[in-house]
């Protein structure tokens, strides 16, 4: 097990919902300790009795918003009828608290976003999710309605897993926190893409709550699952300066509200466009970049240019270093990921060693704004299919290029076998169906497939060192606007992420 030595951290959530006799709180506390690295500052467990079941909630506390010593899980039974185990961050909690006014009986008791979530649930019910701007995986017990409710944020930044055993349902922020046997099983997602990304995991009868999804049960009814948000499929807006201005304003606001913190905040500055925009808004002096000068890979020079003055701390490691930490990286990941998790391991380790607690990063921009170089293959494919001079050669073009679904499936598939290619095509149809243009279809597919492993690595490799990772481009307002941006403002003959370059100029 990797060392757990710091005093702040991500929250770890654990819940047990069981009919019949309640389980021992000591058992819950033991499972929460498994996720000590996510929140070593405070741990707690509480038992909640409903007429039809018992619920045990456990939590390790994130101490970033409210620095006072609050007991966890959050017990608001007296004034709101809610008990909450919460992992994540709601960035608009101050505005939402103002909107809610004096909702809690006797007034507000904390300066914490979790209390605002509880009050929003009391006022709006499940509709409260659409009012939250942030990332989360939480389990809530409504003692007044006899309901247990579990939800995950829109993009899937924060994890939440579940498993059923012996008449009980368990929830946990990490698979290793589930008190069930972990038996490996064949995963078609892993066989196709080398990692899991949907509700199935590589462990038998262990599942992930999908992004933008909630599960609930009330008064003894069966568990129901609902998708409450998905990346929109929208008609493209006119490519005007107003669109560029709107996107600029949203990215600036999304970055600023994520940069607000009562603890030190660092920026992962790669030297690329996405993190350069984040730094241009934050103007942080706590900057870090993975660099490989001995191998001729110079990320530091561009990162230093993007820093606007402050020095960037380079982070390097050797092949021997990589092999040494692989067991710890695998332990924290739980399921397969990519080798870049090791880069994040060393990067976050240095960031944490320097006393930072929050880290800003640029995840999501490539999927939302057409940033991957491979998308240019699809861009030119669309151009060829639309070329009026090739109208009479439609059958030849189809024979050379193949069907769009085949082309995208070949791009997605890493298994290299007929049945994995067929699965990749099913994924393209599932997530990209109805989306106009191959670039947008592939990007939306990547949002729900390849991006999920990037988010998992960002979460696990930061949580391993008790850091919170924040991604401004995954603000729901930015994501929803991105779906209305025409392909011609994302990819041109000479540029990728063209509209983000316009934003950067501003």
């Amino acid at each position: 097990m990797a060392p757990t030595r710091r005093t702040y951290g991500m929250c770890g959530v654990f819940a047990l919902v069981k009919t019949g006799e309640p389980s021992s709180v000591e058992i819950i506390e033991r499972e929460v300790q498994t996720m000590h690295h996510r929140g070593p500052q405070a741990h707690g467990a509480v038992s909640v009795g409903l007429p039809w079941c018992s619920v045990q909630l456990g939590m390790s506390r994130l101490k970033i918003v409210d620095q006072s010593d609050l007991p966890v899980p959050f017990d608001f039974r007296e004034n709101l009828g809610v008990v909450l185990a919460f992992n994540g961050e709601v960035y608009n909690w101050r505005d939402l608290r103002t909107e809610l006014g004096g909702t809690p009986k006797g007034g507000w008791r904390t300066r914490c976003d979790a209390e605002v979530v509880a009050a929003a649930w009391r006022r709006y019910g499940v509709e409260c999710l659409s009012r939250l701007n942030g990332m989360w995986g939480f389990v809530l017990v409504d003692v007044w309605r006899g309901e247990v409710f579990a939800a995950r944020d829109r993009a899937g930044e924060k994890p939440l897993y579940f498993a059923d055993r012996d008449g009980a349902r368990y929830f946990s922020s990490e698979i290793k926190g589930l008190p069930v046997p972990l038996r490996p099983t064949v995963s078609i997602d892993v066989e196709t893409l080398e990692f899991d990304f949907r509700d199935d995991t590589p462990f038998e009868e262990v599942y992930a709550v999908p992004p933008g999804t909630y599960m609930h049960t009330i008064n003894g009814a069966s568990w129901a699952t609902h998708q409450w948000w998905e990346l929109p499929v929208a008609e493209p807006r006119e490519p005007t300066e107003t669109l560029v201005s709107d996107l600029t304003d949203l990215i600036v606001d999304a970055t600023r509200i994520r940069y607000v913190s009562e603890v030190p905040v660092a920026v992962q500055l790669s030297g690329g466009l996405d993190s350069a925009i984040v730094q241009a808004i934050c103007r942080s002096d706590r900057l870090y970049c993975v660099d490989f000068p001995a191998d001729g890979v110079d990320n530091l020079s561009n990162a230093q240019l993007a820093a606007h003055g402050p020095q960037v701390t380079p982070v390097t490691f050797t092949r021997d270093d990589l092999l040494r930490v692989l067991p710890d990286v695998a332990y924290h990941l739980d399921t397969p990921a990519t080798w870049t998790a090791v880069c994040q391991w060393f990067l976050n380790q240095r960031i944490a060693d320097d006393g930072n607690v929050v880290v800003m990063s640029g995840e999501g921009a490539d999927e939302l704004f057409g940033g991957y170089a491979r998308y240019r293959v699809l861009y030119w494919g669309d151009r060829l299919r639309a070329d009026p001079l090739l109208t009479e050669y439609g059958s030849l073009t189809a024979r050379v290029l193949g069907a769009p679904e085949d082309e995208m499936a070949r791009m997605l598939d890493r298994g290299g076998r007929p049945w994995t290619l067929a699965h990749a095509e099913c994924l393209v149809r599932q997530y990209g169906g109805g989306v106009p243009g191959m670039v947008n279809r592939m990007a939306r597919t990547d949002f729900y497939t390849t991006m999920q492993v990037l988010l998992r690595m960002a979460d696990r490799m930061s949580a391993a060192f008790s850091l919170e990772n924040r991604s401004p481009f995954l603000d729901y307002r930015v994501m929803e606007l991105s779906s209305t941006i025409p392909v011609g403002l994302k990819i041109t003959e000479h540029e990728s992420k063209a509209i983000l370059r316009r934003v950067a100029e501003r």
Side-chain angles (χ1 to χ4, degrees):
M1 181 183 296
T4 53
R5 49 182 172 68
R6 291 179 53 76
T7 58
Y8 296 88
M10 303 292 291
C11 289
V13 167
F14 178 84
L16 185 160
V17 184
K18 182 180 181 181
T19 56
E21 291 296 319
S23 298
S24 168
V25 170
E26 287 75 17
I27 296 176
I28 312 305
E29 291 174 338
R30 182 191 66 201
E31 301 305 332
V32 171
Q33 284 291 336
T34 305
M35 295 178 289
H36 176 80
H37 52 279
R38 299 190 72 91
Q41 189 165 12
H43 304 88
V46 63
S47 181
V48 185
L50 298 180
W52 60 274
C53 75
S54 65
V55 184
Q56 280 75 45
L57 295 180
M59 181 178 163
S60 59
R61 193 193 166 203
L62 167 67
K63 191 176 179 181
I64 289 179
V65 174
D66 187 332
Q67 294 295 300
S68 58
D69 294 325
L70 301 174
V72 292
F74 298 102
D75 193 339
F76 304 115
R77 269 179 282 195
E78 181 180 342
N79 58 338
L80 291 169
V82 167
V83 185
L84 176 66
F86 183 82
N87 171 28
E89 199 80 53
V90 174
Y91 305 111
N92 65 331
W93 69 272
R94 294 172 181 84
D95 292 338
L96 189 53
R97 181 164 134 158
T98 299
E99 175 188 326
L100 291 166
T103 294
K105 179 182 176 182
W108 298 97
R109 300 183 177 186
T110 72
R111 293 186 62 256
C112 184
D113 54 345
E115 185 178 12
V116 175
V117 172
W121 168 267
R122 187 79 281 143
R123 173 80 65 86
Y124 303 114
V126 67
E127 296 301 321
C128 74
L129 296 175
S130 63
R131 297 172 181 267
L132 306 180
N133 187 349
M135 54 183 183
W136 62 83
F138 69 78
V139 180
L140 177 150
V141 183
D142 187 331
V143 297
W144 293 351
R145 296 187 63 212
E147 182 172 3
V148 183
F149 184 86
R152 197 167 173 216
D153 65 75
R154 296 170 178 86
E157 291 183 78
K158 292 296 106 188
L160 191 61
Y161 295 92
F162 70 96
D164 296 327
R165 184 186 183 192
D166 298 333
R169 172 158 292 189
Y170 299 92
F171 291 94
S172 177
S173 293
E174 297 185 7
I175 290 176
K176 68 178 69 67
L178 294 169
V180 300
L182 296 181
R183 296 183 291 266
T185 187
V186 174
S187 167
I188 190 170
D189 291 345
V190 174
E191 294 289 336
T192 303
L193 271 77
E194 299 178 346
F195 44 80
D196 58 294
F197 50 85
R198 296 186 298 171
D199 52 349
D200 289 332
T201 75
F203 295 103
E204 195 173 288
E205 297 181 343
V206 173
Y207 305 96
V209 178
T213 298
Y214 69 84
M215 311 179 76
H216 72 131
T217 178
I218 183 168
N219 292 328
S222 299
W223 284 93
T225 302
H226 303 275
Q227 185 175 11
W228 66 272
W229 186 90
E230 63 178 331
L231 188 65
V233 177
E235 289 295 321
R237 285 175 53 175
E238 290 296 319
T240 63
E241 285 301 312
T242 300
L243 179 55
V244 180
S245 297
D246 290 347
L247 180 61
T248 303
D249 292 344
L250 287 183
I251 290 176
V252 168
D253 189 63
T255 303
R256 285 177 175 166
I257 63 176
R258 283 161 177 76
Y259 195 58
V260 173
S261 176
E262 298 178 23
V263 293
V265 183
V267 174
Q268 295 178 351
L269 190 62
S270 68
L273 177 65
D274 312 332
S275 60
I277 290 174
V278 172
Q279 169 59 7
I281 300 165
C282 294
R283 296 300 175 116
S284 173
D285 58 0
R286 295 169 174 264
L287 307 172
Y288 298 83
C289 175
V290 174
D291 199 38
F292 301 99
D295 299 311
V297 178
D298 179 15
N299 295 325
L300 185 61
S301 295
N302 282 340
Q304 194 61 62
L305 286 173
H308 298 284
Q311 289 298 306
V312 180
T313 300
V315 177
T316 63
F317 59 90
T318 66
R319 183 179 183 275
D320 288 341
D321 294 330
L322 182 153
L323 295 175
R324 173 176 53 82
V325 303
L326 273 181
D328 287 338
V329 171
Y331 171 82
H332 283 279
L333 285 172
D334 282 338
T335 65
T338 78
W339 82 274
T340 53
V342 179
C343 292
Q344 294 191 41
W345 176 274
F346 287 106
L347 185 63
N348 287 315
Q349 183 179 49
R350 178 56 190 271
I351 290 171
D353 284 344
D354 286 351
N356 300 288
V357 182
V358 174
V359 59
M360 304 281 285
S361 64
E363 277 94 355
D366 286 312
E367 291 80 7
L368 297 175
F369 302 105
Y372 292 122
R374 65 179 183 270
Y375 290 165
R376 303 191 65 79
V377 175
L378 306 176
Y379 169 81
W380 287 107
D382 272 343
R383 293 284 296 272
L384 284 170
R385 291 181 177 90
D387 189 337
L389 297 179
L390 294 176
T391 301
E392 297 181 3
Y393 294 89
S395 59
L396 174 63
T397 304
R399 190 165 71 248
V400 173
L401 298 179
E405 291 82 4
D406 294 339
E407 191 172 345
M408 289 184 282
R410 290 195 298 271
M411 184 171 288
L412 192 65
D413 176 41
R414 300 182 186 183
R417 288 163 284 182
W419 64 279
T420 61
L421 184 63
H423 181 56
E425 184 177 329
C426 289
L427 295 172
V428 169
R429 293 181 184 276
Q430 176 182 352
Y431 296 116
V435 180
M438 291 175 64
V439 170
N440 281 338
R441 289 185 68 185
M442 191 74 236
R444 194 176 191 277
T445 302
D446 279 339
F447 182 92
Y448 283 107
T449 57
T450 57
M451 192 184 79
Q452 295 306 309
V453 74
L454 301 180
L455 297 183
R456 188 165 76 245
M457 290 190 297
D459 173 78
R460 304 303 194 280
M461 296 300 96
S462 58
F465 297 99
S466 301
L467 292 170
E468 177 174 274
N469 183 286
R470 298 179 177 179
S471 305
F473 292 106
L474 295 176
D475 188 295
Y476 79 93
R477 300 167 299 170
V478 176
M479 293 191 293
E480 291 178 355
L481 181 60
S482 75
S483 67
T484 71
I485 297 173
V487 171
L489 279 183
K490 295 180 179 179
I491 297 180
T492 70
E493 293 185 8
H494 308 291
E495 292 179 324
S496 295
K497 286 190 285 196
I499 193 168
L500 275 192
R501 299 177 193 279
R502 304 271 294 279
V503 169
E505 290 170 0
R506 288 169 177 247

